[in-house]
Amino acid sequence: MWVENAWYAASFLKDIGDHPKSVTLLGRPLVVFRTETGKLAVLDDRCPHRSVPLSFGRRTGEHLRCSYHGLQVDAEGNCVRIPCQDRIPANARVRAYPVAERHSLAWVWMGDCAFANADEVPDFHYLDDPEWTACTGYHFINADYRLLNDNLLDLSHESYVHDTTIGNDAVAEAPVKVERTETQIRVHRDIWNCEPPPFYVKATGFNERINRWHTTIFTVPSTHVIENGSYPASSSRSHALERRVLHAISPATPTSSHYFWGVARQYRPDDHELTEYIRLQTAETFDQDKQILELQQKALERTGDGAFSLALATDKGPVQARHAIERMIAREKELRCGVNREKLAQ
Ligand SMILES: [Fe+2]
């Protein structure tokens, strides 16, 4: 159910301090730590000696020391010190993962190291570009990551889930346009001449009828950039105020996901009160998503139904995203089979 050859967000960089941090991605417990000289490392969270989580350990200079018997590993996962013995066995090591620090986040490559290319980290530059003012947040959601994708690719739910913040009836009524490339799906809605939802009034100052739009740009397997904007219906698009909403979803287990998000804007950049308002309102909005998604996850587990036993026109984006993920997983399987066949032939 998971694409392995992909960059996944593991933490906001600001949340990685002097102490090792435990993060589970794709069902694998990992430890994230920064050495004293600043090198970021991600390793399997298991001491090669007696399996105690290394995240329970302590940073000692460039190494991570297990808090059980004191073995030390370096940022590449090699055991470099064993108390009481000089010989270090060859298998005294843990898997180290390629890592990239980009756009305020630590990204981890969970697949074959040979394919890791830091240039392919999702473009979330809005989070640290001085041209944009951003706020960020995090939710842990007890739901399959694909349900989070579905949620962001069908924003008609704003009308019903988020009617106290970003939605009203006009959203669900607006027609939807879906475009697809090999790795991206774009779902667009123009919502013309509508009442501004509560968040839009405060976040833009527009309290008359507005034209608004949003485009969800989904990149396989689980990142989304939502472009949105609005302007008074009585004026023109040149008066629009735009935002970008960034979503990096990292599967933790088959039924839980990390959800790293951010909202960036280019207007009133120094208005800190507005930044805080947007952060709090977005957190509240995603609390509402969390509640719905966790209810949905439980219901699907109970009934054993597929997520799309009844598919509607607005499900086109979500269904295409699932197909794109399935194609990528199938390709990874073929790749692994090919490698295994080569090994057998040798
Ligand atoms: Fe939502």
Side-chain angles (χ1 to χ4, degrees):
M1 64 182 293
W2 295 318
V3 172
E4 296 202 341
N5 288 307
W7 290 101
Y8 288 102
S11 174
F12 281 110
L13 293 173
K14 67 179 173 58
D15 297 331
I16 302 169
D18 296 340
H19 300 287
K21 186 177 170 179
S22 124
V23 182
T24 296
L25 294 182
L26 312 194
R28 285 180 242 168
L30 307 175
V31 55
V32 179
F33 80 104
R34 199 182 279 289
T35 70
E36 207 166 87
T37 58
K39 182 165 188 185
L40 187 64
V42 177
L43 310 174
D44 273 338
D45 192 11
R46 174 183 173 276
C47 178
H49 176 218
R50 303 300 302 274
S51 299
V52 168
L54 289 166
S55 57
F56 191 64
R58 185 181 297 175
R59 181 178 81 182
T60 52
E62 294 306 285
H63 308 142
L64 189 55
R65 190 186 72 191
C66 178
S67 278
Y68 196 9
H69 302 101
L71 266 72
Q72 292 186 24
V73 295
D74 65 12
E76 282 74 43
N78 303 304
C79 180
V80 290
R81 177 169 151 70
I82 300 174
C84 266
Q85 76 175 59
D86 294 331
R87 193 185 71 82
I88 295 179
N91 61 348
R93 64 180 324 281
V94 290
R95 179 174 172 180
Y97 294 79
V99 61
E101 297 183 51
R102 290 277 160 86
H103 318 314
S104 304
L105 286 157
W107 300 85
V108 186
W109 182 264
M110 296 299 290
D112 187 332
C113 292
F115 301 124
N117 177 357
D119 293 339
E120 292 171 0
V121 168
D123 181 6
F124 276 30
H125 75 275
Y126 305 102
L127 294 183
D128 59 1
D129 185 331
E131 295 288 311
W132 293 79
T133 300
C135 56
T136 58
Y138 167 84
H139 280 67
F140 186 78
I141 299 194
N142 285 298
D144 179 334
Y145 77 103
R146 294 169 296 188
L147 296 180
L148 278 72
N149 282 342
D150 299 342
N151 174 276
L152 295 165
L153 284 157
D154 177 7
L155 294 178
S156 64
H157 78 269
E158 286 185 8
S159 298
Y160 312 105
V161 181
H162 306 310
D163 57 348
T164 60
T165 56
I166 58 173
N168 56 17
D169 286 350
V171 182
E173 301 294 339
V176 66
K177 197 168 99 187
V178 180
E179 289 171 8
R180 179 168 77 88
T181 64
E182 186 49 33
T183 54
Q184 284 198 330
I185 289 159
R186 299 169 74 96
V187 180
H188 178 79
R189 260 196 166 86
D190 287 320
I191 310 148
W192 285 168
N193 196 19
C194 66
E195 287 295 328
F199 170 81
Y200 275 70
V201 174
K202 184 90 188 277
T204 62
F206 302 148
N207 50 23
E208 60 200 284
R209 293 180 76 82
I210 56 169
N211 290 341
R212 61 176 283 205
W213 72 91
H214 49 227
T215 310
T216 301
I217 303 161
F218 164 74
T219 303
V220 179
S222 51
T223 52
H224 304 250
V225 176
I226 297 181
E227 299 178 349
N228 69 27
S230 62
Y231 57 92
S234 58
S235 71
S236 66
R237 182 150 178 164
S238 61
H239 294 90
L241 298 180
E242 295 196 31
R243 287 180 298 280
R244 299 288 180 268
V245 191
L246 298 314
H247 314 256
I249 299 161
S250 303
T253 69
T255 57
S256 65
S257 307
H258 304 280
Y259 184 16
F260 301 92
W261 53 263
V263 184
R265 68 182 194 281
Q266 282 187 302
Y267 61 93
R268 289 159 57 191
D270 301 321
D271 186 340
H272 302 301
E273 206 177 301
L274 176 60
T275 306
E276 185 60 3
Y277 172 77
I278 291 175
R279 188 185 69 77
L280 288 171
Q281 282 281 295
T282 307
E284 183 182 327
T285 301
F286 295 163
D287 285 346
Q288 294 164 342
D289 285 314
K290 176 177 165 72
Q291 188 178 28
I292 286 282
L293 291 165
E294 292 183 350
L295 286 169
Q296 185 186 23
Q297 177 68 45
K298 277 194 191 135
L300 290 170
E301 283 173 24
R302 198 172 55 244
T303 60
D305 285 348
F308 291 98
S309 44
L310 173 65
L312 309 178
T314 49
D315 292 318
K316 193 172 171 188
V319 168
Q320 288 196 355
R322 282 178 178 250
H323 288 162
I325 290 170
E326 282 160 17
R327 281 195 301 275
M328 199 174 260
I329 290 172
R331 271 203 300 275
E332 287 192 349
K333 268 190 192 147
E334 273 171 29
L335 205 65
R336 273 197 299 273
C337 289
V339 169
N340 289 340
R341 272 197 300 272
E342 268 176 36
K343 275 186 189 160
L344 280 172
Q346 281 165 7

